[in-house]
mmCIF file of all heavy atoms in Angstrom:
data_model
loop_
_atom_site.group_PDB
_atom_site.id
_atom_site.type_symbol
_atom_site.label_atom_id
_atom_site.label_comp_id
_atom_site.label_asym_id
_atom_site.label_seq_id
_atom_site.Cartn_x
_atom_site.Cartn_y
_atom_site.Cartn_z
ATOM 1 N N VAL A 13 8.581 32.323 95.709
ATOM 2 C CA VAL A 13 9.756 33.140 95.414
ATOM 3 C C VAL A 13 9.526 33.944 94.129
ATOM 4 O O VAL A 13 9.858 35.130 94.042
ATOM 5 C CB VAL A 13 11.013 32.248 95.289
ATOM 6 C CG1 VAL A 13 12.210 33.064 94.803
ATOM 7 C CG2 VAL A 13 11.324 31.581 96.630
ATOM 8 N N GLY A 14 8.931 33.291 93.138
ATOM 9 C CA GLY A 14 8.658 33.984 91.880
ATOM 10 C C GLY A 14 7.645 35.099 92.029
ATOM 11 O O GLY A 14 7.788 36.166 91.429
ATOM 12 N N LYS A 15 6.601 34.856 92.836
ATOM 13 C CA LYS A 15 5.590 35.897 93.037
ATOM 14 C C LYS A 15 6.216 37.112 93.720
ATOM 15 O O LYS A 15 5.905 38.265 93.367
ATOM 16 C CB LYS A 15 4.439 35.354 93.883
ATOM 17 C CG LYS A 15 3.435 36.398 94.375
ATOM 18 C CD LYS A 15 2.722 37.097 93.235
ATOM 19 C CE LYS A 15 1.911 38.303 93.731
ATOM 20 N NZ LYS A 15 0.886 37.960 94.701
ATOM 21 N N ARG A 16 7.094 36.898 94.687
ATOM 22 C CA ARG A 16 7.746 38.026 95.348
ATOM 23 C C ARG A 16 8.569 38.835 94.340
ATOM 24 O O ARG A 16 8.586 40.070 94.392
ATOM 25 C CB ARG A 16 8.645 37.523 96.482
ATOM 26 C CG ARG A 16 9.399 38.646 97.181
ATOM 27 C CD ARG A 16 10.145 38.136 98.384
ATOM 28 N NE ARG A 16 9.230 37.861 99.485
ATOM 29 C CZ ARG A 16 9.367 36.850 100.347
ATOM 30 N NH1 ARG A 16 10.375 36.011 100.212
ATOM 31 N NH2 ARG A 16 8.504 36.684 101.320
ATOM 32 N N ALA A 17 9.223 38.159 93.421
ATOM 33 C CA ALA A 17 10.012 38.868 92.403
ATOM 34 C C ALA A 17 9.123 39.734 91.517
ATOM 35 O O ALA A 17 9.564 40.778 91.024
ATOM 36 C CB ALA A 17 10.796 37.868 91.559
ATOM 37 N N THR A 18 7.871 39.309 91.308
ATOM 38 C CA THR A 18 6.973 40.131 90.490
ATOM 39 C C THR A 18 6.668 41.459 91.168
ATOM 40 O O THR A 18 6.370 42.449 90.480
ATOM 41 C CB THR A 18 5.651 39.419 90.174
ATOM 42 O OG1 THR A 18 4.899 39.205 91.387
ATOM 43 C CG2 THR A 18 5.888 38.104 89.457
ATOM 44 N N LEU A 19 6.739 41.506 92.492
ATOM 45 C CA LEU A 19 6.523 42.778 93.184
ATOM 46 C C LEU A 19 7.642 43.756 92.857
ATOM 47 O O LEU A 19 7.406 44.961 92.686
ATOM 48 C CB LEU A 19 6.430 42.556 94.697
ATOM 49 C CG LEU A 19 5.337 41.601 95.190
ATOM 50 C CD1 LEU A 19 5.319 41.569 96.718
ATOM 51 C CD2 LEU A 19 3.968 41.995 94.655
ATOM 52 N N TRP A 20 8.865 43.252 92.768
ATOM 53 C CA TRP A 20 9.985 44.102 92.360
ATOM 54 C C TRP A 20 9.777 44.555 90.906
ATOM 55 O O TRP A 20 9.975 45.722 90.564
ATOM 56 C CB TRP A 20 11.311 43.341 92.448
ATOM 57 C CG TRP A 20 11.611 42.735 93.775
ATOM 58 C CD1 TRP A 20 11.146 43.142 94.997
ATOM 59 C CD2 TRP A 20 12.453 41.600 94.036
ATOM 60 N NE1 TRP A 20 11.640 42.327 95.992
ATOM 61 C CE2 TRP A 20 12.449 41.381 95.439
ATOM 62 C CE3 TRP A 20 13.203 40.750 93.234
ATOM 63 C CZ2 TRP A 20 13.165 40.338 96.039
ATOM 64 C CZ3 TRP A 20 13.933 39.715 93.820
ATOM 65 C CH2 TRP A 20 13.905 39.529 95.208
ATOM 66 N N MET A 21 9.365 43.603 90.085
ATOM 67 C CA MET A 21 9.219 43.876 88.660
ATOM 68 C C MET A 21 8.117 44.884 88.380
ATOM 69 O O MET A 21 8.243 45.725 87.492
ATOM 70 C CB MET A 21 8.936 42.578 87.907
ATOM 71 C CG MET A 21 10.067 41.578 87.934
ATOM 72 S SD MET A 21 9.579 40.010 87.208
ATOM 73 C CE MET A 21 9.333 40.513 85.505
ATOM 74 N N LEU A 22 7.021 44.792 89.120
ATOM 75 C CA LEU A 22 5.908 45.707 88.883
ATOM 76 C C LEU A 22 6.358 47.152 89.043
ATOM 77 O O LEU A 22 6.043 48.011 88.210
ATOM 78 C CB LEU A 22 4.764 45.406 89.844
ATOM 79 C CG LEU A 22 3.581 46.393 89.781
ATOM 80 C CD1 LEU A 22 2.944 46.375 88.395
ATOM 81 C CD2 LEU A 22 2.559 46.094 90.863
ATOM 82 N N GLU A 23 7.102 47.425 90.105
ATOM 83 C CA GLU A 23 7.565 48.796 90.327
ATOM 84 C C GLU A 23 8.511 49.235 89.217
ATOM 85 O O GLU A 23 8.441 50.373 88.741
ATOM 86 C CB GLU A 23 8.235 48.894 91.699
ATOM 87 C CG GLU A 23 7.257 48.628 92.847
ATOM 88 C CD GLU A 23 7.852 48.933 94.211
ATOM 89 O OE1 GLU A 23 9.064 49.217 94.284
ATOM 90 O OE2 GLU A 23 7.101 48.885 95.197
ATOM 91 N N LEU A 24 9.390 48.337 88.780
ATOM 92 C CA LEU A 24 10.312 48.675 87.701
ATOM 93 C C LEU A 24 9.569 48.887 86.383
ATOM 94 O O LEU A 24 9.947 49.731 85.570
ATOM 95 C CB LEU A 24 11.366 47.575 87.553
ATOM 96 C CG LEU A 24 12.361 47.470 88.715
ATOM 97 C CD1 LEU A 24 13.142 46.163 88.645
ATOM 98 C CD2 LEU A 24 13.336 48.658 88.693
ATOM 99 N N CYS A 25 8.502 48.120 86.173
ATOM 100 C CA CYS A 25 7.684 48.307 84.968
ATOM 101 C C CYS A 25 7.015 49.678 84.983
ATOM 102 O O CYS A 25 6.945 50.361 83.950
ATOM 103 C CB CYS A 25 6.628 47.209 84.867
ATOM 104 S SG CYS A 25 7.279 45.598 84.369
ATOM 105 N N LEU A 26 6.521 50.089 86.143
ATOM 106 C CA LEU A 26 5.920 51.415 86.250
ATOM 107 C C LEU A 26 6.950 52.502 85.952
ATOM 108 O O LEU A 26 6.652 53.489 85.269
ATOM 109 C CB LEU A 26 5.329 51.611 87.649
ATOM 110 C CG LEU A 26 4.121 50.730 88.009
ATOM 111 C CD1 LEU A 26 3.751 50.907 89.478
ATOM 112 C CD2 LEU A 26 2.928 51.060 87.122
ATOM 113 N N ASP A 27 8.166 52.304 86.455
ATOM 114 C CA ASP A 27 9.243 53.266 86.172
ATOM 115 C C ASP A 27 9.561 53.309 84.680
ATOM 116 O O ASP A 27 9.726 54.389 84.102
ATOM 117 C CB ASP A 27 10.512 52.889 86.946
ATOM 118 C CG ASP A 27 10.319 52.911 88.451
ATOM 119 O OD1 ASP A 27 9.564 53.767 88.930
ATOM 120 O OD2 ASP A 27 10.919 52.065 89.128
ATOM 121 N N ALA A 28 9.662 52.137 84.067
ATOM 122 C CA ALA A 28 9.987 52.067 82.645
ATOM 123 C C ALA A 28 8.894 52.719 81.798
ATOM 124 O O ALA A 28 9.181 53.436 80.830
ATOM 125 C CB ALA A 28 10.196 50.616 82.216
ATOM 126 N N GLN A 29 7.645 52.484 82.169
ATOM 127 C CA GLN A 29 6.536 53.090 81.431
ATOM 128 C C GLN A 29 6.572 54.609 81.556
ATOM 129 O O GLN A 29 6.341 55.335 80.571
ATOM 130 C CB GLN A 29 5.208 52.534 81.944
ATOM 131 C CG GLN A 29 4.966 51.086 81.550
ATOM 132 C CD GLN A 29 3.874 50.415 82.366
ATOM 133 O OE1 GLN A 29 3.366 50.982 83.343
ATOM 134 N NE2 GLN A 29 3.506 49.216 81.986
ATOM 135 N N ALA A 30 6.876 55.103 82.755
ATOM 136 C CA ALA A 30 6.950 56.557 82.961
ATOM 137 C C ALA A 30 8.095 57.155 82.154
ATOM 138 O O ALA A 30 7.943 58.208 81.514
ATOM 139 C CB ALA A 30 7.127 56.862 84.445
ATOM 140 N N LEU A 31 9.249 56.495 82.163
ATOM 141 C CA LEU A 31 10.408 57.008 81.432
ATOM 142 C C LEU A 31 10.179 56.916 79.927
ATOM 143 O O LEU A 31 10.576 57.820 79.174
ATOM 144 C CB LEU A 31 11.666 56.236 81.831
ATOM 145 C CG LEU A 31 12.976 56.711 81.197
ATOM 146 C CD1 LEU A 31 13.216 58.190 81.451
ATOM 147 C CD2 LEU A 31 14.155 55.880 81.695
ATOM 148 N N LEU A 32 9.545 55.843 79.478
ATOM 149 C CA LEU A 32 9.262 55.689 78.054
ATOM 150 C C LEU A 32 8.333 56.801 77.566
ATOM 151 O O LEU A 32 8.581 57.427 76.525
ATOM 152 C CB LEU A 32 8.630 54.324 77.803
ATOM 153 C CG LEU A 32 8.322 53.953 76.356
ATOM 154 C CD1 LEU A 32 9.586 53.946 75.510
ATOM 155 C CD2 LEU A 32 7.632 52.596 76.296
ATOM 156 N N SER A 33 7.292 57.078 78.336
ATOM 157 C CA SER A 33 6.357 58.140 77.972
ATOM 158 C C SER A 33 7.065 59.493 77.950
ATOM 159 O O SER A 33 6.864 60.297 77.019
ATOM 160 C CB SER A 33 5.187 58.172 78.966
ATOM 161 O OG SER A 33 4.320 59.244 78.692
ATOM 162 N N TYR A 34 7.895 59.740 78.949
ATOM 163 C CA TYR A 34 8.642 61.002 79.020
ATOM 164 C C TYR A 34 9.555 61.150 77.804
ATOM 165 O O TYR A 34 9.599 62.215 77.172
ATOM 166 C CB TYR A 34 9.456 61.042 80.306
ATOM 167 C CG TYR A 34 10.348 62.253 80.460
ATOM 168 C CD1 TYR A 34 9.904 63.404 81.091
ATOM 169 C CD2 TYR A 34 11.657 62.249 79.966
ATOM 170 C CE1 TYR A 34 10.729 64.523 81.224
ATOM 171 C CE2 TYR A 34 12.486 63.348 80.087
ATOM 172 C CZ TYR A 34 12.011 64.494 80.723
ATOM 173 O OH TYR A 34 12.833 65.581 80.842
ATOM 174 N N THR A 35 10.286 60.093 77.482
ATOM 175 C CA THR A 35 11.257 60.150 76.394
ATOM 176 C C THR A 35 10.576 60.354 75.044
ATOM 177 O O THR A 35 11.056 61.117 74.199
ATOM 178 C CB THR A 35 12.097 58.856 76.366
ATOM 179 O OG1 THR A 35 12.703 58.659 77.657
ATOM 180 C CG2 THR A 35 13.196 58.917 75.318
ATOM 181 N N GLU A 36 9.455 59.663 74.847
ATOM 182 C CA GLU A 36 8.763 59.741 73.558
ATOM 183 C C GLU A 36 8.100 61.102 73.337
ATOM 184 O O GLU A 36 7.855 61.497 72.196
ATOM 185 C CB GLU A 36 7.711 58.636 73.462
ATOM 186 C CG GLU A 36 8.310 57.246 73.327
ATOM 187 C CD GLU A 36 7.268 56.145 73.293
ATOM 188 O OE1 GLU A 36 6.135 56.373 73.805
ATOM 189 O OE2 GLU A 36 7.568 55.054 72.769
ATOM 190 N N THR A 37 7.806 61.807 74.404
ATOM 191 C CA THR A 37 7.088 63.085 74.270
ATOM 192 C C THR A 37 7.949 64.297 74.631
ATOM 193 O O THR A 37 7.461 65.425 74.616
ATOM 194 C CB THR A 37 5.833 63.095 75.157
ATOM 195 O OG1 THR A 37 6.216 62.897 76.535
ATOM 196 C CG2 THR A 37 4.869 61.996 74.748
ATOM 197 N N LEU A 38 9.234 64.072 74.934
ATOM 198 C CA LEU A 38 10.101 65.182 75.344
ATOM 199 C C LEU A 38 10.208 66.210 74.222
ATOM 200 O O LEU A 38 10.623 65.881 73.107
ATOM 201 C CB LEU A 38 11.492 64.652 75.707
ATOM 202 C CG LEU A 38 12.505 65.692 76.204
ATOM 203 C CD1 LEU A 38 12.070 66.291 77.530
ATOM 204 C CD2 LEU A 38 13.894 65.059 76.330
ATOM 205 N N PRO A 39 9.854 67.468 74.489
ATOM 206 C CA PRO A 39 9.925 68.488 73.439
ATOM 207 C C PRO A 39 11.297 69.161 73.388
ATOM 208 O O PRO A 39 12.075 69.100 74.332
ATOM 209 C CB PRO A 39 8.845 69.486 73.867
ATOM 210 C CG PRO A 39 8.873 69.417 75.368
ATOM 211 C CD PRO A 39 9.223 67.983 75.718
ATOM 212 N N PHE A 40 11.554 69.798 72.283
ATOM 213 C CA PHE A 40 12.775 70.578 72.071
ATOM 214 C C PHE A 40 12.474 72.035 72.413
ATOM 215 O O PHE A 40 11.332 72.493 72.266
ATOM 216 C CB PHE A 40 13.173 70.474 70.600
ATOM 217 C CG PHE A 40 14.649 70.568 70.330
ATOM 218 C CD1 PHE A 40 15.573 69.848 71.073
ATOM 219 C CD2 PHE A 40 15.124 71.358 69.282
ATOM 220 C CE1 PHE A 40 16.924 69.910 70.798
ATOM 221 C CE2 PHE A 40 16.474 71.433 68.992
ATOM 222 C CZ PHE A 40 17.382 70.707 69.753
ATOM 223 N N LEU A 41 13.483 72.771 72.861
ATOM 224 C CA LEU A 41 13.298 74.210 73.032
ATOM 225 C C LEU A 41 13.152 74.885 71.677
ATOM 226 O O LEU A 41 12.322 75.776 71.496
ATOM 227 C CB LEU A 41 14.481 74.817 73.794
ATOM 228 C CG LEU A 41 14.511 76.357 73.848
ATOM 229 C CD1 LEU A 41 13.301 76.897 74.616
ATOM 230 C CD2 LEU A 41 15.814 76.845 74.473
ATOM 231 N N GLY A 42 13.962 74.433 70.717
ATOM 232 C CA GLY A 42 13.925 75.042 69.397
ATOM 233 C C GLY A 42 14.637 76.378 69.378
ATOM 234 O O GLY A 42 15.623 76.590 70.092
ATOM 235 N N VAL A 43 14.155 77.307 68.570
ATOM 236 C CA VAL A 43 14.750 78.645 68.473
ATOM 237 C C VAL A 43 13.735 79.665 68.987
ATOM 238 O O VAL A 43 12.738 79.943 68.341
ATOM 239 C CB VAL A 43 15.188 78.967 67.020
ATOM 240 C CG1 VAL A 43 16.404 78.146 66.653
ATOM 241 C CG2 VAL A 43 14.075 78.675 66.011
ATOM 242 N N LYS A 44 13.990 80.184 70.174
ATOM 243 C CA LYS A 44 13.011 81.052 70.821
ATOM 244 C C LYS A 44 13.527 82.470 71.091
ATOM 245 O O LYS A 44 12.763 83.349 71.421
ATOM 246 C CB LYS A 44 12.554 80.421 72.147
ATOM 247 C CG LYS A 44 11.775 79.104 71.996
ATOM 248 C CD LYS A 44 10.473 79.299 71.251
ATOM 249 C CE LYS A 44 9.546 78.093 71.397
ATOM 250 N NZ LYS A 44 10.053 76.892 70.715
ATOM 251 N N GLY A 45 14.839 82.674 70.998
ATOM 252 C CA GLY A 45 15.363 84.019 71.212
ATOM 253 C C GLY A 45 15.575 84.361 72.670
ATOM 254 O O GLY A 45 15.409 83.531 73.565
ATOM 255 N N THR A 46 15.920 85.624 72.931
ATOM 256 C CA THR A 46 16.408 86.022 74.257
ATOM 257 C C THR A 46 15.350 85.966 75.358
ATOM 258 O O THR A 46 15.669 85.661 76.503
ATOM 259 C CB THR A 46 16.979 87.444 74.185
ATOM 260 O OG1 THR A 46 15.977 88.309 73.637
ATOM 261 C CG2 THR A 46 18.219 87.488 73.324
ATOM 262 N N THR A 47 14.119 86.289 75.036
ATOM 263 C CA THR A 47 13.061 86.196 76.056
ATOM 264 C C THR A 47 11.913 85.307 75.595
ATOM 265 O O THR A 47 10.820 85.350 76.145
ATOM 266 C CB THR A 47 12.508 87.588 76.415
ATOM 267 O OG1 THR A 47 12.031 88.240 75.223
ATOM 268 C CG2 THR A 47 13.564 88.437 77.109
ATOM 269 N N GLY A 48 12.164 84.523 74.570
ATOM 270 C CA GLY A 48 11.157 83.593 74.092
ATOM 271 C C GLY A 48 10.212 84.156 73.059
ATOM 272 O O GLY A 48 9.289 83.465 72.611
ATOM 273 N N THR A 49 10.428 85.409 72.629
ATOM 274 C CA THR A 49 9.503 86.047 71.681
ATOM 275 C C THR A 49 9.909 85.835 70.227
ATOM 276 O O THR A 49 9.158 86.194 69.325
ATOM 277 C CB THR A 49 9.431 87.554 71.938
ATOM 278 O OG1 THR A 49 10.713 88.143 71.646
ATOM 279 C CG2 THR A 49 9.036 87.848 73.379
ATOM 280 N N GLN A 50 11.096 85.299 70.004
ATOM 281 C CA GLN A 50 11.638 85.068 68.654
ATOM 282 C C GLN A 50 11.817 86.381 67.873
ATOM 283 O O GLN A 50 11.828 86.391 66.642
ATOM 284 C CB GLN A 50 10.746 84.098 67.861
ATOM 285 C CG GLN A 50 10.639 82.728 68.533
ATOM 286 C CD GLN A 50 9.675 81.804 67.820
ATOM 287 O OE1 GLN A 50 8.527 82.175 67.593
ATOM 288 N NE2 GLN A 50 10.134 80.607 67.483
ATOM 289 N N ALA A 51 11.963 87.490 68.608
ATOM 290 C CA ALA A 51 12.063 88.801 67.955
ATOM 291 C C ALA A 51 13.252 88.889 67.013
ATOM 292 O O ALA A 51 13.147 89.460 65.909
ATOM 293 C CB ALA A 51 12.156 89.898 69.023
ATOM 294 N N SER A 52 14.401 88.323 67.410
ATOM 295 C CA SER A 52 15.590 88.407 66.561
ATOM 296 C C SER A 52 15.372 87.677 65.240
ATOM 297 O O SER A 52 15.810 88.135 64.175
ATOM 298 C CB SER A 52 16.803 87.828 67.291
ATOM 299 O OG SER A 52 16.567 86.480 67.662
ATOM 300 N N PHE A 53 14.705 86.539 65.289
ATOM 301 C CA PHE A 53 14.454 85.779 64.074
ATOM 302 C C PHE A 53 13.390 86.456 63.206
ATOM 303 O O PHE A 53 13.459 86.418 61.972
ATOM 304 C CB PHE A 53 14.037 84.346 64.430
ATOM 305 C CG PHE A 53 15.116 83.592 65.144
ATOM 306 C CD1 PHE A 53 15.067 83.386 66.513
ATOM 307 C CD2 PHE A 53 16.220 83.113 64.447
ATOM 308 C CE1 PHE A 53 16.076 82.706 67.176
ATOM 309 C CE2 PHE A 53 17.241 82.424 65.102
ATOM 310 C CZ PHE A 53 17.172 82.225 66.466
#
């Protein structure tokens, strides 16, 4: 029964690792202006 539960856990661990990596590296748009050229700034 415990080994079967690890199959559920493995998939959830993969999801958590993917989300953790995404969250830690998520970039900001910042200030880019109307077409991304920052001309106004």
